[in-house]
Amino acid sequence: MNIKQRIIELNQQFTNETIEIEDVLLTIITKYQLFEPCRYLAEDEEWINVAMVSIEDENIAQMMSIRKSEITMFGIFNREEIELILPKTEPEDFYQ
């Protein structure tokens, strides 16, 4: 399964928009973990390489390889539905 091509095709089918895989953030769900948001890097027959990124500033936090046979779902991460509401407290307050 070519994940890059499948994401591009599904996006075209449901939104009628053409995307570049480098311009979107992905959500990948495996049998054991959820990886989001992440940026597509490359893939081969067995593995997909992604970079986990921060939604605040889009800096790369960690690069990793995920075995394709363990992926149960994947899609485009919708950052527009994310609202960051962080408490305005001092770090010491979390220890009380």
Side-chain angles (χ1 to χ4, degrees):
M1 163 178 50
N2 185 318
I3 292 177
K4 174 183 175 179
Q5 192 59 40
R6 191 72 180 125
I7 288 172
I8 292 170
E9 289 171 359
L10 287 170
N11 189 74
Q12 178 69 37
Q13 179 181 349
F14 290 104
T15 67
N16 291 324
E17 295 178 11
T18 303
I19 60 167
E20 295 293 326
I21 197 73
E22 296 82 14
D23 295 335
V24 296
L25 297 175
L26 304 177
T27 297
I28 298 176
I29 301 172
T30 69
K31 297 174 185 176
Y32 310 106
Q33 289 182 311
L34 167 69
F35 300 98
E36 72 175 6
C38 55
R39 190 160 310 280
Y40 177 92
L41 298 175
E43 69 183 290
D44 61 22
E45 292 298 316
E46 190 175 354
W47 297 90
I48 180 171
N49 299 318
V50 297
M52 300 292 293
V53 298
S54 166
I55 59 172
E56 294 174 358
D57 56 12
E58 291 196 31
N59 284 331
I60 293 176
Q62 179 180 1
M63 290 189 268
M64 63 183 60
S65 295
I66 303 169
R67 188 182 300 270
K68 286 182 175 183
S69 62
E70 294 180 357
I71 295 175
T72 56
M73 279 194 255
F74 57 85
I76 295 176
F77 178 80
N78 188 349
R79 83 176 77 193
E80 293 163 3
E81 292 183 10
I82 299 291
E83 183 177 337
L84 291 177
I85 301 175
L86 302 173
K88 295 188 189 295
T89 58
E90 297 299 318
E92 295 81 22
D93 294 340
F94 291 112
Y95 296 104
Q96 296 179 1

